[in-house]
Amino acid sequence: MGEPMPEVQQRLRGLPAVEALLQQPAIRALIEAHGRAAVVRAARAVVEQARRRILDGGEAAVDEQEIARRLAADAAMTLRSVINASGVVVHTNLGRAPLAGEAIAAVAGIAAGYSTLEYDLAAGERGNRHCHAIDLLRELTGAADAVVVNNNAGAVLLALSALARDGDVVVSRGELVEIGGGFRVPDVMRQSGARLVEVGTTNRTHRFDYEQAIGEQTRLLLKVHQSNFAQIGFVSGLTLGELVAIGRQRGVAVLYDAGSGCLRPLAGLTGEPTVADGVALGADLVCFSGDKLLGGPQAGVVVGRADLIERLRCHPLMRALRPDKLCLSALQATLQLWRDRPERVPVAGMIAAPAARLERRAQEMARAIGAAAAAGSVDSVRCVDRVGGGASPLSELPGWAVAVRGVDVERLAAALRGGEPPVVPQIADGALLLHLRCVAPEQDSDLAAAVVAALNSLGKTGA
Ligand SMILES: *Cc1c(COP(=O)(O)O)cnc(C)c1O
């Protein structure tokens, strides 16, 4: 039947009043550090929890440590830094591209105060948000003009809405892609009010398919980077250049969704066309993401013909899709790096990282972990890294990883994810792999310590 009532009553009476708690020296120190409101909230929650435990027949103490724990839990962020040991460079779930130091400094400076976001210093009057980063984009892509929006999905939506509403947009059935996270070309088309005219078949689309589909109502020919998949076998489609030739002949503009936004040929990655290639081939507009291969903030960029870009800029949707000052400052700083010092863009540096250097780091880390950990066998191994972010799905980057075997790797992975900093590893063939390509060398000792701590925690609970 549980405990006698009088004892429960007595325990409840033993609980301190929140007001009394707040007078204790240790709690006053917490108030000094966290502010009174937060400590009162935490103290109330801890007392209430203790009350419920006692009513359930248990025991509970209310002390400073319990309140401090509660405060820490209340302050915990859901958006946290992690170590990406997955080997995928542009990992959408892990926030895509890390920013360059120069971009972080630019954002910090702009974030802390006021800025020329929409102010013309020379004239002393209202300026234009859409002037930022434009010259750099023109220089880097060869396009006549450019506009920046919130992301590439927004860029596609804006271009279709502004140029093809109530008209036809012709696209190959082989390019009706779903990127993940809900971006599907046919759905975006529907939202824009443009009519999708699918041509060709899944695996083959020909010149005559496009030619037969073009009519009075045709506003755009759309080409979409196949992004995260590749087709092999009996496959054919038109190149961008061939599509542009048809568009020119029939007087229809060509929009190329380049997806990843590769600004320059990247060391370590072959076969990914650049945005400048798309412009040079004659695409009227090319759109791409800011935080994939470009290595900048979340953004969508459209470059191309000045008259078309002007129509996008003036469209009512532009207001809903406009980028903020933090995005624009990070983008501008990142584009400056692409112009002057491309090797400093982290995504470019990680893709180009030589296997020999990764191998040395993996060997050193495996030794350090092996020497300090109580469980598991630890080696350095070759692995395959990926670009991710819908670029070059088939390209394999030769990488190196630290491999841990001989323990329950699922539990080890969970312990790593639960650590501080959290680590996201890969599990393959019964081993836990820590790919080093996307780990900054300065993080190596943190990563090794996290793995040792996770391995030792398994040992304690009898893995
Ligand atoms: C990634 C991608 C998009 C979506 O870009 P976001 O910046 O994530 O909105 C659209 N089209 C293609 C081809 C892509 O690869």
Side-chain angles (χ1 to χ4, degrees):
M1 270 308 288
E3 284 177 85
M5 279 301 280
E7 209 169 317
V8 171
Q9 294 288 0
Q10 195 183 345
R11 281 188 189 154
L12 286 175
R13 273 197 301 275
L15 285 174
V18 171
E19 273 309 317
L21 275 172
L22 297 176
Q23 301 308 320
Q24 293 177 11
I27 307 290
R28 293 173 82 103
L30 287 177
I31 292 175
E32 197 65 26
H34 300 271
R36 187 180 165 87
V39 176
V40 169
R41 191 171 53 230
R44 282 206 185 114
V46 170
V47 172
E48 177 54 30
Q49 189 185 326
R51 231 175 61 79
R52 255 180 278 126
R53 264 201 215 131
I54 291 170
L55 285 173
D56 285 345
E59 299 193 32
V62 172
D63 56 21
E64 170 228 345
Q65 273 160 20
E66 202 52 44
I67 293 172
R69 258 197 295 277
R70 181 75 195 201
L71 274 169
D74 285 351
M77 299 282 212
T78 56
L79 183 56
R80 297 168 64 195
S81 294
V82 302
I83 293 181
N84 173 10
S86 72
V88 180
V89 179
V90 179
H91 196 309
T92 295
N93 301 150
L94 302 183
R96 292 195 180 160
L99 292 180
E102 288 84 347
I104 294 165
V107 170
I110 292 299
Y114 298 95
S115 64
T116 57
L117 179 63
E118 291 185 359
Y119 190 76
D120 182 338
L121 284 176
E125 59 190 32
R126 179 173 219 266
N128 187 346
R129 168 190 308 252
H130 300 303
C131 71
H132 304 293
I134 300 309
D135 286 344
L136 281 161
L137 285 166
R138 294 204 327 232
E139 190 177 337
L140 285 161
T141 66
D145 204 353
V147 67
V148 180
V149 294
N150 181 59
N151 60 10
N152 190 32
V156 175
L157 176 64
L158 177 63
L160 294 176
S161 304
L163 306 178
R165 192 176 176 79
D166 297 328
D168 293 347
V169 176
V170 183
V171 62
S172 160
R173 289 196 169 92
E175 296 173 9
L176 292 174
V177 301
E178 171 173 325
I179 309 296
F183 181 91
R184 293 173 139 197
V185 168
D187 297 342
V188 175
M189 198 88 74
R190 210 166 301 122
Q191 281 302 318
S192 73
R195 278 186 303 273
L196 178 64
V197 178
E198 301 174 20
V199 297
T201 58
T202 302
N203 56 326
R204 289 168 74 82
T205 304
H206 303 281
R207 190 183 165 88
F208 63 77
D209 290 318
Y210 285 97
E211 284 174 334
Q212 285 171 4
I214 294 174
E216 284 289 293
Q217 300 299 314
T218 307
R219 299 285 175 270
L220 281 175
L221 305 181
L222 173 65
K223 184 164 183 64
V224 184
H225 189 297
Q226 282 182 334
S227 203
N228 50 7
F229 76 106
Q231 292 177 308
I232 55 167
F234 191 51
V235 170
S236 79
L238 269 62
T239 63
L240 179 59
E242 290 166 340
L243 196 61
V244 165
I246 297 173
R248 291 270 159 86
Q249 203 173 33
R250 305 290 292 270
V252 181
V254 173
L255 166 64
Y256 176 42
D257 175 5
S260 218
C262 183
L263 284 178
R264 286 178 177 234
L266 290 171
L269 182 65
T270 49
E272 187 62 30
T274 65
V275 175
D277 291 336
V279 172
L281 285 168
D284 297 275
L285 292 176
V286 183
C287 62
F288 50 96
S289 290
D291 55 356
K292 291 182 179 173
L293 284 181
L294 197 152
Q298 178 187 303
V301 180
V302 193
V303 302
R305 264 170 54 191
D307 60 324
L308 300 183
I309 294 290
E310 182 58 21
R311 283 170 64 189
L312 305 200
R313 234 185 253 126
C314 296
H315 192 274
L317 253 186
M318 184 66 222
R319 175 62 190 235
L321 295 171
R322 70 182 192 180
D324 80 317
K325 59 190 178 182
L326 305 185
C327 164
L328 287 169
S329 65
L331 182 64
Q332 193 159 28
T334 307
L335 293 171
Q336 271 175 8
L337 289 179
W338 277 111
R339 184 189 60 191
D340 302 329
R341 311 183 69 182
E343 71 285 354
R344 293 181 70 90
V345 177
V347 163
M350 290 188 290
I351 290 171
R357 195 177 320 147
L358 298 173
E359 178 182 7
R360 262 197 312 280
R361 287 172 54 204
Q363 285 169 347
E364 223 166 90
M365 193 181 294
R367 246 196 315 275
I369 295 169
S377 74
V378 187
D379 288 303
S380 55
V381 297
R382 284 178 199 280
C383 62
V384 172
D385 297 332
R386 305 252 170 219
V387 173
S392 309
L394 297 183
S395 78
E396 303 187 334
L397 307 172
W400 278 84
V402 170
V404 184
R405 294 190 179 81
V407 293
D408 181 337
V409 291
E410 295 290 348
R411 283 189 55 214
L412 179 59
L416 283 168
R417 293 195 306 272
E420 180 54 48
V423 175
V424 180
Q426 192 208 3
I427 292 175
D429 303 328
L432 181 131
L433 298 181
L434 301 150
H435 298 241
L436 293 191
R437 182 178 299 276
C438 311
V439 179
E442 310 86 76
Q443 290 179 311
D444 279 2
S445 56
D446 282 353
L447 176 55
V451 177
V452 170
L455 277 169
N456 290 348
S457 77
L458 290 193
K460 275 198 209 93
T461 49

